[in-house]
Amino acid sequence: MSKILEGLKEALEVAKCVHEFEYLRDTGSGGVIGRCIKCKCRFTAWPTSIHFDEIVAQDVLEHLERAKTIPTLKRWAALLRDGGTLFIRVPSLLHIFEMLRNATTAERHAEIIHLMYGTQAYNGDYHLTGFTTLMLNEQLAAAGLLVCRASIRD
């Protein structure tokens, strides 16, 4: 198996899906794009010799099992160049709870519950974990990442 396909298998193992994968195409930048044969989720993998200035992961971590958060952060850290930046966005459980506490209608409660558990419009479109600032900071530190800036947004 080529190093790139081994990287794709590693990406599948770190992420939620651990099914069989198939090669789809090259990325054009040294990586490959693959797809899980069973659940059809897609992954992109690069050989370990390729590093990135930036990685953006918005609304990703909450879809992984809790036990896979730190291994995933470590994998992303390994893909960053020295001085690279990881941009992540996750829902804040404390702020969702605060919104729920302050909501005064059943309709607003339903909207907030939707935020907490995902749309559930298709298989995999739901949250398996949640985050607080304290938890996320500890998980980032355990992965060897330094928080340079953090903010809470609606």
Side-chain angles (χ1 to χ4, degrees):
M1 181 182 298
S2 75
K3 283 190 177 253
I4 293 175
L5 290 180
E6 286 174 13
L8 179 58
K9 187 172 192 290
E10 181 180 344
L12 282 165
E13 289 169 356
V14 167
K16 179 180 170 229
C17 174
V18 291
H19 303 123
E20 293 295 315
F21 65 92
E22 63 182 337
Y23 166 86
L24 293 179
R25 63 183 166 83
D26 292 336
T27 62
S29 60
V32 296
I33 297 174
R35 176 178 61 195
C36 171
I37 293 168
K38 186 173 180 182
C39 69
K40 304 300 183 203
C41 60
R42 292 175 179 257
F43 293 90
T44 305
W46 291 268
T48 55
S49 61
I50 295 178
H51 295 90
F52 299 91
D53 294 324
E54 295 179 348
I55 296 175
V56 178
Q58 294 186 357
D59 305 316
V60 174
L61 287 176
E62 64 271 16
H63 295 274
L64 303 179
E65 296 168 14
R66 278 188 303 275
K68 295 187 179 183
T69 300
I70 292 173
T72 299
L73 291 170
K74 286 181 177 180
R75 178 69 177 130
W76 292 343
L79 288 170
L80 286 170
R81 287 193 174 125
D82 286 341
T85 304
L86 171 63
F87 295 96
I88 61 172
R89 180 176 69 191
V90 295
S92 166
L93 283 180
L94 293 178
H95 290 85
I96 289 174
F97 294 153
E98 183 70 18
M99 289 167 49
L100 191 59
R101 188 171 71 83
N102 292 328
T104 58
T105 66
E107 181 180 351
R108 183 65 179 140
H109 276 225
E111 290 171 0
I112 295 165
I113 296 295
H114 172 91
L115 292 173
M116 188 181 308
Y117 292 105
T119 65
Q120 300 180 16
Y122 54 87
N123 189 27
D125 187 27
Y126 45 83
H127 298 169
L128 295 175
T129 192
F131 298 91
T132 65
T133 303
L134 182 62
M135 285 176 54
L136 188 57
N137 283 338
E138 280 195 19
Q139 292 165 330
L140 290 164
L145 294 162
L146 173 68
V147 177
C148 295
R149 185 174 57 114
S151 62
I152 304 292
R153 296 186 179 176
D154 291 336

